[in-house]
Amino acid sequence: MFRLEGRVALVTGGSRGIGRAISTMLAKAGAEVLVNYAKGEAAARETCDAIIAAGGKAEPVGFDVGVTKAVEDAVAKIAKDKGRLDIVISNAGISIDGLLLRLKEEDLDKVLAVNLKGAIMLAKAAMRPMMRAKFGRIVFVSSVVGEMGNPGQTAYAATKAALLGVTKTLAKEYASRAITVNAITPGFIETDMTASLPEEAKKFMIEATPLGRYGTPADVAAAAMYLSSEEAGFVTGQVLRVNGGLYV
């Protein structure tokens, strides 16, 4: 089950954290993985080296998801060089936190450009090779914050909530071409970002999660694996919550 031999996958923000776990798991299942990075080239190459050392196929691809021309050029090159693009995991995202009255317009624009506009334009670029192949899997990595809200994260929550509407709409638009579009909403996941939080904040997060622990990047990667697989061919327009029961 969940074998991806012959598939080509692009994972944005694939060099660390959740993106690295997804890249590694897809490669382990047999996919050739393009690991996207914006600035962390060294981390992306490290991820690819680890995949290759384990017998998989991977290569780094540098472009800023927030720059439409860069997205279009990168996807077109992947489709031309590899002859296909079967799976896109739209994982790249940023968060600039602060209460609404302190939110700068330029910061709002940055978050919208990467998390929402970038994700939409990535999907648009990927649709062309997927439509030609009459096969495709697009998975947006949203967030539990987009469903339940969180003080100090107006911009981030807005973009992650909007992705759920994008998911449902694209699922309906492209189902006739055998392209599925789904979203994952992770809860509190153990990453570099959460590791730096104060102990009091960590305790609060764990206590708020019914399963009583952080999720791991592998938990999210397993969901991405399923939604990318042949076995999920009848699943589209859905939101898969990987949140330990935090929001149900």
Side-chain angles (χ1 to χ4, degrees), residues 152-166:
Q153 291 194 301
T154 298
Y156 183 76
T159 60
K160 293 302 185 178
L163 282 179
L164 304 185
V166 172

Side-chain angles (χ1 to χ4, degrees), residues 82-101:
K82 305 299 179 183
R84 61 193 306 138
L85 178 57
D86 305 289
I87 300 164
V88 169
I89 311 295
S90 183
N91 170 71
I94 62 172
S95 179
I96 303 176
D97 298 340
L99 296 176
L100 178 60
L101 290 178

Side-chain angles (χ1 to χ4, degrees), residues 15 37 40-50 60:
S15 63
Y37 66 92
E41 181 177 0
R45 290 193 178 280
E46 182 180 293
T47 299
C48 291
D49 289 345

Side-chain angles (χ1 to χ4, degrees), residues 76-152:
K77 187 175 189 306
I78 290 168
K80 180 180 179 181
D81 292 349
K82 305 299 179 183
R84 61 193 306 138
L85 178 57
D86 305 289
I87 300 164
V88 169
I89 311 295
S90 183
N91 170 71
I94 62 172
S95 179
I96 303 176
D97 298 340
L99 296 176
L100 178 60
L101 290 178
R102 297 175 183 173
L103 179 63
K104 298 177 181 177
E105 185 176 359
E106 56 265 35
D107 290 340
L108 173 60
D109 289 342
K110 288 177 185 177
V111 176
L112 288 169
V114 175
N115 295 9
L116 183 55
K117 182 181 177 182
I120 292 172
M121 298 311 293
L122 174 65
K124 180 182 178 182
M127 284 301 178
R128 295 187 185 280
M130 289 181 178
M131 288 173 65
R132 287 195 295 268
K134 294 184 178 180
F135 177 91
R137 298 283 189 267
I138 295 177
V139 180
F140 294 108
V141 179
S142 178
S143 170
V144 68
V145 170
E147 296 185 289
M148 61 183 284
N150 196 41

Side-chain angles (χ1 to χ4, degrees), residues 180-204:
T180 67
V181 186
N182 293 286
I184 301 170
T185 51
F188 295 129
I189 305 299
E190 192 171 18
T191 62
D192 292 343
M193 183 178 70
T194 55
S196 64
L197 291 172
E199 288 302 319
E200 186 175 333
K202 293 179 184 179
K203 182 181 178 183
F204 171 79

